[in-house]
Each structure stands twice: as structure tokens, then as C-alpha cells.
């Protein structure tokens, strides 16, 4: 029997009643948290970090220019810029301004947020610019001419719609929706009107659109079902081999692949549904997510296979194995330069890289670059058509982000930029510990703490986690954490729980659907291990997570509330009974399960935070944060949880809903600084147990 939800009215995002409720909750939280004498100082300190002129302007290259997008105090929405490599090497490069998003928003009376640009290669003069209103996943696409510095009059112009590029190795790019076939032709997948979207709200129809014709006249190339998750399309650019692909994502992890033929039609490519495929030059690469027996050979999940492209398309399956995982090592990413394949590995959650080249009729690993103790945050080829150069970003908890230019086959890196060191690391140390989960699985976690940490259980400790969708939690330099937590004496912990990708597909799959509880057990085990080691105690232990990580901390908080004194829950999923009915929720059923299936609801119901919060239980102080314009995870998850907890009589339940920002919950540096100031003032008060008599809390009825 279904119990009626008394807070369904909060799912009506922009109703007067719901927005009045949001305003009242925001007032309560602001009144409480901004009255601390440290709030304004914290806000200004964080804003200074975001606005710092010495932050690294990360770039990509097209047609001999390096492009970037920058925000600062004078340009809240940001500037699209470009320069040359020689100029970029200078401490203060001269940039050519291409597009001012603040000026554009003002002139068009729009709330534009930059998403990105897709260039017509190889010159890159013409671009498809993606812009969203208020930071949502919905975006418009407009053609821009760099030579004139203007949008093309009567050029390609796509209406607002969701759409992502999810390429052959599952890299998600928000610029999806259209791509170049040639200077006068696009492939487009967008909102074409009635019945053109899936139940998850993503495009399901791929068309070919010629310049000078109406979008309604575009020719249909491919359609998928409304019950599928989404359709994606992309191009692989390599020397002499430009290939155009499309994919029918049946769910978030399984997809059918289609290759565009010379006649413009797309034909299906045979592959395991969950295997990631990428073409490069004469070769096809498969990254297996499940064990695969084909012919007389067996390939284990997590392996990287390679074969001649034409041979594969003709039915041959005699692969060469470039990489096989082991218990401690997993494939993290693969990129292609002009002549090399760079394979990024995680070994006990530390980065290394192997360069492969096809020489004398076989594949050879010519260079292994061990990047420990730092972790690679990002790596990309500079130009896959003409160059073996790549750009790499690496950091660690205590090492500021470094941006370097490398060349495949060499271990030399040219340091281009180093981010400022915003906090002192002299008295800090990093360690990696292991906790034992409920099923005896060993789960690693990183801990950053003062060298002179006393093991008496009094250290303010923040435990951060995610545990889903193959996302790996890597060590990285976070100046906000450093200035607001580590330099104030706090201990910072990052959990590498199951559900993530730290140890390959098996680590992720171990916590999907009916096994989801394992991720929560892992997180609880780490919390208990921190307490058992006397690093901290429940009075000084807090947890934080965002999106799927918000679900994580919500579930753990309702299951083991006695372990924690503070919870920060950002843009979360919390109502797992209705998540599949809200915005993009249906696209995640392969991760969580289908609550309309009684057998699957049986396990979802055991951990769904909204259904499991109880009136007769004592919970830690909670701060929930979301955005009215989050069109990925519905703000009603956080709204309804807070409304229910207030009605049950729980105290110290705070709420902040920013009016814009999409799934990031903020669109500019000022909003990011304000949101973070609320978070860190809250955590400092609850976990450092700062007493402040002027701080009263009164719920607004």
C-alpha cells in the first residue's frame, strides 16, 4: 500500500507556495549562519580565491590557437579568449577577446551561462556556441564566426534543449546537441517537438541539417525509443580517418553503437552492450566493462583491447591486449595523439601513464611515466591530427595544481602554469588507511591531517564521499578545503568506497542496484575506523557529499546518526520512491533500480533517506543545499526532506536554495563564495564545537 506523500506540492518547482517555503527556509539559514562574526571574513577569503588573477587558465588548441574561458570580479559570467602557445608560456599572456558573456547577457536581456564551443576543424573559425540560461542542463546552440567576432546572421541556431556528447569511452561533454559534418551541414539531436524526447528528457532523434534550410526540414537519420535514456553523436578525428558515430543509450551503462556510412546512413556496430569503443586511425579499441568470451578466447572486465578497424568491421575478433587489470590497478582514461596511445592507470588510487605505439607490426609500450605522489586531474591531446603533444593537469591534497605540456614517448614535461599556494602545508601530512566493511571488504581512504595530530578523539574531521557511477575520488588540491578546514586544525578524509571507479568496473558494479548498501556500509566502516583510531569522535565528525554523494550522506545519516555531528548534503537525491519521475531521474535506474518494480523497491526502500527519516530519532545538524534551476536532480529531493524533518520536530536542520546555478547550485564566483561560506561556517561551528551565545535559531512558521 502506497503512503501518500504530504509534500508533493514542493515538487512544483516555481509555484508561489513552494517558492514562499524556500524563501522562509533560506531566511532561517542566513539569519543563523551569517550572524557569526567569521561569516563575512570567510566569504571574502573564498571570493578572493575564486577571483584570483593567478588561477590557471586551462586551454584547448584549435587551428594554432589556445582557447580558454575565464571569470573574475569584473566579469562574473566570463570571457571567451584565445592566444598562441608562445604567448601562453608568459606569466601574463596577452589574450584576444572573442566573446564577453556579461555584455551578451546585458544586450540580450538574458541570463546566459557559458557551456562551450564546438569548432569546425581544422581551421576552427566557425563554432557552435552552447549557452544555458541560469546554468541549467538545457542550452541553446548558435553559430559564431571568430573572424568577425559575431554570431552568424541566419546561421545555425538550435532552440533550448538538453543533450550531451557521450563518446566511445563514455566521456560526458555538455556541448552535445549538434556537431559538424562539413561547413554547411550539421548532425543535430535536440528537442524537435512532440514525442522527440525520451522519458528521461533527452533527445531521441538524430537528423542532418543543411545550411539555409529550416530545422523542420532536416532529414531524420536515426531514432531511438522513448523508453531509452538518450541519443548521443560525436566525431573521431584522426589522420586520414574522420568517423562519425551515434549511440543509442539503452540505459546509463549499456549502449548500441552506430557508424555513419558514406551514403549518410548509420549502421549498427557489433559489440558487447557495456563495452566502450573508440576508433583511432586504422584501429578500434574496446574497453571492457564485463568479462567477454569470444571464439576460443576470454577477456576479463577492465581490459583494453585493440584490433584493426576494418578487420573488426568484417567480423574478426582476434584482439591484441594492451592492458589487463589486477587487484590494485585499473584503467582510468585513454587518449590519442597523432601517433601514440596514452593509457592512464590508477595503481592504489595513484596515477601512472603508459605510452603505446604501433611499431614493426606490433604494439609496444615505449614509456611508462610514474606520476606519484601526485594525481592526474585531467589530460587531453593538443591536436590529434598533427601533434603528439598533450596537456596534463596534476595535483595532490598538498600540491597546488600544475599544468604542463608533454610529448608522447617522452617523460619530459614543460611546466606551463602552477596555481597559487593558498594555504600552508608545513604542518600537514597525507596518509592512506584501510577500513574493513561489513562484508569484510577492505576499503581505502585518504586522510590529510596535522603532523602533530593527537589521537584523543577530539580532532574536527570531515569525511567526503561519492561512491557511484564509476566516479573515482582522487587526491586533489582544494584551496577552499585548505583555507577553511586544514589550516584551522581540521582533518580531511576522502573515502574510496565501492560504487566508484578506483579499482575498475568490478569496484563500481559491486555497489549497483540491490548491492547499493555496500557503498553505505563502506562509508560507515571508514567513519567507525576514524573513531576507533581515536582520530576523532562522533561529536567532531561530519560528512559531506554532492548529488549521488548527497544520497550517500543522507542514507548514512538516517542509518547511523549517532556517528556524526554534522551533515552537508548538496544537490542530493533523497526520495528514491519518486526519483525516476523527477527530471533526469529515469536515466539512473540502471545504477539504482526501478522503484515501480516491487522487488527493486524492496531494497531501495531500505535505504531511501526520505522514507527512513524518523520522528523519534536524534539526528546530527544538517545543511541541505540545492538550486531552483537544478534540472538534473530535482530540488524537491532536498525540499521535501527538510520539510519532513521540520514537521518531525528535528532541530538544527538548515536549508539553502540558490535561485540559479543548475546542478552546480551557483553560476558565478560570488554565488560560489556565498554557498561555500555557509558550508564552512556551519561545519566549523558544529565540529569545532565553537560556542557563540549570540547565535539563536528560530524556525519561521
Amino acid at each position: 500500500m502506497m503512503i501518500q506523500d504530504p509534500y508533493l506540492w514542493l515538487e512544483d518547482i516555481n509555484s508561489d507556495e513552494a517558492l514562499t517555503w524556500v524563501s522562509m527556509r533560506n531566511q532561517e539559514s542566513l539569519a543563523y549562519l551569517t550572524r557569526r562574526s567569521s561569516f563575512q571574513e570567510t566569504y571574502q577569503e573564498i571570493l578572493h580565491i575564486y577571483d584570483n588573477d593567478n588561477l590557471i587558465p586551462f586551454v584547448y588548441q584549435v587551428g594554432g590557437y589556445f582557447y580558454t574561458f575565464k571569470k573574475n570580479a569584473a566579469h562574473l559570467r566570463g570571457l571567451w579568449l584565445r592566444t598562441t602557445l608562445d604567448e601562453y608560456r608568459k606569466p601574463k599572456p596577452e589574450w584576444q577577446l572573442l566573446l564577453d558573456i556579461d555584455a551578451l547577457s546585458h544586450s540580450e536581456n538574458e541570463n546566459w551561462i557559458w557551456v562551450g564551443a564546438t569548432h569546425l576543424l581544422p581551421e576552427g573559425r566557425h563554432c557552435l556556441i552552447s549557452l544555458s540560461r541560469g546554468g541549467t542542463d538545457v542550452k541553446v546552440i548558435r553559430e559564431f564566426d571568430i573572424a568577425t567576432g559575431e554570431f552568424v546572421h541566419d546561421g545555425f541556431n538550435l532552440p533550448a534543449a538538453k543533450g550531451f556528447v557521450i563518446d566511445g569511452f563514455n566521456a560526458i561533454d555538455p556541448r552535445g546537441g549538434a556537431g559538424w559534418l562539413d561547413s554547411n551541414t550539421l548532425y543535430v539531436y535536440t528537442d524537435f517537438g512532440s514525442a522527440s524526447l525520451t522519458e528521461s528528457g533527452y533527445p531521441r532523434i538524430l537528423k542532418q541539417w543543411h545550411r539555409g534550410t529550416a530545422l523542420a526540414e532536416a532529414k531524420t537519420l536515426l531514432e531511438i525509443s522513448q523508453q531509452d535514456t538518450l541519443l548521443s553523436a560525436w566525431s573521431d578525428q584522426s589522420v586520414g580517418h574522420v568517423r562519425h558515430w551515434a549511440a543509442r543509450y539503452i540505459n546509463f551503462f549499456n549502449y548500441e553503437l552506430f557508424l555513419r556510412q558514406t551514403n549518410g546512413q548509420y549502421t549498427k556496430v557489433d559489440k558487447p552492450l557495456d563495452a566502450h569503443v573508440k576508433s583511432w586511425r586504422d584501429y578500434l579499441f574496446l574497453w571492457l566493462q564485463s568479462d567477454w568470451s569470444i571464439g576460443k578466447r576470454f577477456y576479463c572486465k577492465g581490459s583494453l583491447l585493440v584490433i584493426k578497424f576494418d578487420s573488426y568491421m568484417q567480423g574478426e575478433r582476434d584482439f591484441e591486449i594492451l592492458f589487463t587489470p589486477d587487484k590494485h590497478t585499473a584503467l582510468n582514461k585513454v587518449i590519442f595523439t597523432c601517433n601514440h596511445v596514452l593509457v592512464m592507470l590508477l595503481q592504489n588510487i595513484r596515477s601512472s601513464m603508459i605510452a603505446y605505439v604501433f611499431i614493426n607490426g606490433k604494439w609496444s609500450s615505449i614509456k611508462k611515466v610514474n606520476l606519484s605522489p601526485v594525481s592526474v586531474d585531467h589530460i587531453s591531446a593538443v591536436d590529434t591530427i598533427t601533434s603528439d603533444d598533450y596537456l596534463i593537469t596534476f595535483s595532490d591534497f598538498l600540491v597546488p595544481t600544475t599544468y604542463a605540456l608533454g610529448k608522447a614517448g617522452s617523460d619530459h614535461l614543460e611546466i606551463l602554469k602552477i596555481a597559487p599556494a593558498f594555504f600552508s602545508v608545513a604542518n600537514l601530512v597525507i596518509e592512506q588507511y584501510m577500513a574493513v566493511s561489513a562484508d569484510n571488504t577492505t576499503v581505502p581512504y585518504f586522510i590529510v591531517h596535522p603532523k602533530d595530530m593527537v589521537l584523543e578523539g577530539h580532532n574536527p574531521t570531515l569525511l567526503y564521499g561519492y561512491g557511484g557511477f564509476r566516479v573515482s575520488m582522487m587526491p586533489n588540491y582544494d584551496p577552499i578545503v585548505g583555507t577553511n578546514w586544514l589550516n584551522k586544525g581540521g582533518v580531511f578524509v576522502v573515502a574510496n568506497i565501492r560504487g566508484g571507479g578506483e579499482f575498475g568496473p568490478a569496484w563500481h558494479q559491486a555497489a549497483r542496484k540491490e548491492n547499493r548498501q555496500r557503498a553505505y556500509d563502506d562509508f560507515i566502516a571508514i567513519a567507525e575506523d576514524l573513531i576507533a583510531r581515536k582520530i576523532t569522535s562522533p561529536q567532531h565528525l561530519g560528512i559531506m557529499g554532492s548529488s549521488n554523494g548527497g544520497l550517500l550522506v543522507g542514507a548514512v545519516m538516517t542509518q547511523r546518526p549517532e556517528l556524526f555531528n554534522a551533515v552537508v548534503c548538496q544537490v542530493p537525491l533523497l526520495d528514491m520512491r519518486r526519483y525516476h519521475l523527477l527530471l533526469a531521474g529515469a536515466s539512473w535506474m540502471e545504477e539504482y533500480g526501478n522503484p515501480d518494480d516491487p522487488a527493486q523497491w524492496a531494497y531501495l526502500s531500505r535505504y531511501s533517506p526520505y522514507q527512513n527519516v524518523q520522528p523519534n530519532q536524534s539526528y546530527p545538524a544538517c545543511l541541505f543545499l540545492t538550486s531552483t534551476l537544478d534540472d538534473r536532480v530535482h530540488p524537491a529531493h532536498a525540499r521535501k526532506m527538510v520539510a519532513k524533518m521540520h514537521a518531525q520536530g528535528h532541530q538544527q536542520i538548515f536549508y539553502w536554495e540558490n535561485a540559479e546555478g543548475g546542478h552546480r547550485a551557483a553560476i558565478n564566483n560570488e554565488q560560489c563564495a556565498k554557498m561555500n561560506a555557509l558550508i564552512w561556517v556551519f561545519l566549523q561551528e558544529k565540529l569545532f564545537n565553537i560556542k557563540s551565545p549570540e547565535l539563536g535559531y528560530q524556525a519561521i512558521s
Side-chain angles (χ1 to χ4, degrees), residues 30-102:
L30 287 175
Y32 183 84
L33 294 170
T34 63
R35 285 174 62 190
R36 288 198 54 81
S37 58
S38 62
F39 177 83
Q40 192 61 28
E41 177 184 348
T42 301
Y43 167 76
Q44 291 295 340
E45 187 176 45
I46 295 173
L47 184 59
H48 170 72
I49 292 172
Y50 283 123
D51 282 344
N52 193 290
D53 287 336
N54 293 317
L55 294 179
I56 296 174
F58 298 107
V59 295
Y60 66 92
Q61 179 182 294
V62 175
Y65 288 95
F66 281 76
Y67 293 78
T68 195
F69 190 79
K70 291 182 64 175
K71 297 178 183 179
N72 55 35
H75 300 92
L76 296 180
R77 298 176 188 275
L79 305 171
W80 188 36
L81 310 163
R82 75 176 183 180
T83 191
T84 63
L85 176 58
D86 286 342
E87 190 66 30
Y88 185 76
R89 287 184 168 110
K90 299 176 182 178
K92 297 290 184 181
E94 289 290 330
W95 296 95
Q96 177 189 355
L97 174 63
L98 302 177
L99 190 60
D100 182 331
I101 304 301
D102 295 87

Side-chain angles (χ1 to χ4, degrees), residues 616-632:
N616 56 353
Q617 178 63 266
S618 178
Y619 293 106
C622 298
L623 173 59
F624 295 88
L625 305 103
T626 187
S627 164
T628 310
L629 289 185
D630 187 346
D631 57 347
R632 193 179 310 176

